[in-house]
Amino acid sequence: MQQNHDKIFMQRCLQLAANGMGHTYPNPMVGSVIVYDGKIIGEGYHLKAGKAHAEVNAINSVKNKEVLKLSTLYVNLEPCAHVGKTPACSRLIIDSKIPRVVIGCRDSFSLVDGKGIDMLKAMAVNVTVGVLENESRELNRRFFTFHEKKRPYIILKWARTSDGFIDFERTAKTPIQPNWITDDYSRMLVHKWRSEEQAVMAATNTLEKDNPKLNVRDWVGSQPVRIVLDRSLRLKKNLSVFDDTQKTIVFTEKSRKDTENTEYIQIGFGRTFYEEFLNVLYEKEIQSVFVEGGGLFLQNLIDGGYWDEAREFIGNINFKTGVKAPAISMLPEERTSFSGNALLFYRNRG
C-alpha cells in the first residue's frame, strides 16, 4: 500500500517538475511535495536557475512547520548536498526535521551523485530511492545525457513531403524564404519545441536558402542560443541569425571578431568535426540542441549516431523532385497526426 502511495505522490512531483521545461537550464527540472497524514500539505518546483530549488519551495509552502517532523518529502531527483547559487537542499531537509524522504532517482551530476542521499542517511533520515525511477530519468533525459555522456542531448526535426522531399530544386531566382510543407499550427508547435531546448541550430544551406530567425515567436518561452555552421563564412551578414538580438554561436574554419551577442568559434571541419563540435558545446554547458537542418547535416548526425530524438512531419503535398529527406533505419516509436500532417517520433536508444 505504501509503495502505491509513493508512486502517486512521485507522479505529482513529475507533473510539477515539468512546469520548469525550458526555464531551468543548466539545472534539471525538479518537483517536490510534502505529505502529512496521507495528504499533500506543500508543494513546489524549480522555476529557474539561481532561484530556490523545488524542496525549498515545497517546505516554504507549508503553513504549519511543526508538522514537517511528522511528514514525508517527495522529490523526483536527489536533493543537492553542495552550496551553489542556493543553499544545500539536503541540509534544509535535515534542519526541518523531516523524517522520511522519497527520491525518484539519483543525481549523476558530480557535485551531487549520492552525496545528498548520504547526508540524509547520516542524520537518520529514512530515505527511499528509485520510485518511478525510469520516469524521473526520462523527464530529465537532457540533463542526464549531458552529465553522463559529456555532450548535449540532440533532437533532430524536419518536414518532408509525402513523396520524400524536404525542399524543391532551387535556382538563383528562387526567393530566399522557407518552402513550407506544413501549416501555421505545425510551425507553432515547432516554436514551442524551440522554447524547450537550450539551443537551436541550422547548417549553412538552410540559413542561406530559408533565412530563418531560429527564435521563439509563436509561443511564450525562453529564447534559445542560436548555433550556426558557416565553414567558410560565406553567409551574408544581413541574414536574420546575425541580427545580434540573442546569443548566437557560429562554428567556422575562418577567423572573425565577435560582436555583442555573436561568438565565432574556429573549428576544423574534417574527420573529427562532430566529436569536436559536441565537445565545444559541452564545455559551454549547452545541454540540448534542437537541429532544424539542413538535409545533409541531419543525415550525417543520423549516420554517425550523434542524435537522441528525431521528429518528422509528413505534409500532405508532393514535390516530385528536389532535396531528399533524411532517412532513419528504424521504425518510429510513436506516430500521430497534427493539424492534418503525420508526425513521427524516433528515439536513438543505442
Side-chain angles (χ1 to χ4, degrees), residues 157 159-161 166-168 170 177-184 186-188 190-191 194 210 212 217-218 292 315 317 319:
K157 187 277 299 180
R160 70 169 176 86
T161 62
I166 61 173
D167 199 2
F168 52 60
R170 304 220 186 190
Q177 63 185 31
N179 181 25
W180 297 114
I181 293 173
T182 55
D183 59 10
D184 290 342
S186 299
R187 292 194 287 275
M188 184 181 295
V190 170
H191 280 243
R194 287 179 182 176
D210 293 352
R217 303 183 304 280
D218 297 333
E292 299 196 40
I317 186 175
F319 285 168

Side-chain angles (χ1 to χ4, degrees), residues 248-266:
T248 303
I249 300 173
V250 182
F251 285 88
T252 178
E253 285 187 335
K254 304 288 186 178
S255 176
R256 177 169 285 178
K257 186 178 180 180
D258 297 344
T259 60
E260 183 178 359
N261 276 323
T262 303
E263 178 183 7
Y264 291 85
I265 296 178
Q266 281 186 272

Side-chain angles (χ1 to χ4, degrees), residues 55-69:
E55 303 94 318
V56 176
N57 289 329
I59 290 172
N60 288 343
S61 73
V62 176
K63 294 181 179 180
N64 181 7
K65 298 295 191 291
E66 288 299 313
V67 300
L68 288 174
K69 64 183 67 174

Side-chain angles (χ1 to χ4, degrees), residues 85-150:
K85 292 182 179 180
T86 59
C89 292
S90 293
R91 174 50 56 189
L92 177 63
I93 293 168
I94 292 166
D95 292 344
S96 300
K97 296 182 171 56
I98 296 173
R100 182 171 185 251
V101 175
V102 179
I103 299 168
C105 65
R106 181 168 171 154
D107 186 343
S108 57
F109 176 41
S110 60
L111 291 180
V112 186
D113 199 13
K115 297 179 181 67
I117 295 170
D118 291 343
M119 180 183 290
L120 293 171
K121 287 182 175 179
M123 298 305 293
V125 177
N126 180 357
V127 180
T128 300
V129 183
V131 175
L132 297 187
E133 181 175 12
N134 291 338
E135 293 86 346
S136 296
R137 285 187 59 86
E138 174 69 13
L139 177 68
N140 279 307
R141 57 193 182 275
R142 298 159 179 82
F143 178 81
F144 286 116
T145 295
F146 180 80
H147 287 291
E148 294 171 7
K149 296 186 177 181
K150 310 301 181 186

Side-chain angles (χ1 to χ4, degrees), residues 271-333:
R271 184 175 55 85
T272 61
F273 165 76
Y274 292 96
E275 290 85 355
E276 293 179 26
F277 166 70
L278 293 176
N279 186 59
V280 171
L281 295 180
Y282 173 76
E283 291 176 349
K284 289 190 168 294
E285 297 187 335
I286 292 178
Q287 286 187 13
S288 68
V289 181
F290 189 61
V291 184
E292 299 196 40
L296 178 60
F297 184 66
L298 289 167
Q299 191 65 61
N300 287 341
L301 290 171
I302 293 169
D303 293 344
Y306 304 113
W307 67 285
D308 298 284
E309 294 183 32
R311 303 168 186 178
E312 178 184 41
F313 288 99
I314 303 178
N316 188 22
I317 186 175
N318 292 317
F319 285 168
K320 297 183 180 179
T321 185
V323 180
K324 277 287 189 180
I328 294 182
S329 58
M330 66 174 64
L331 295 174
E333 293 196 0

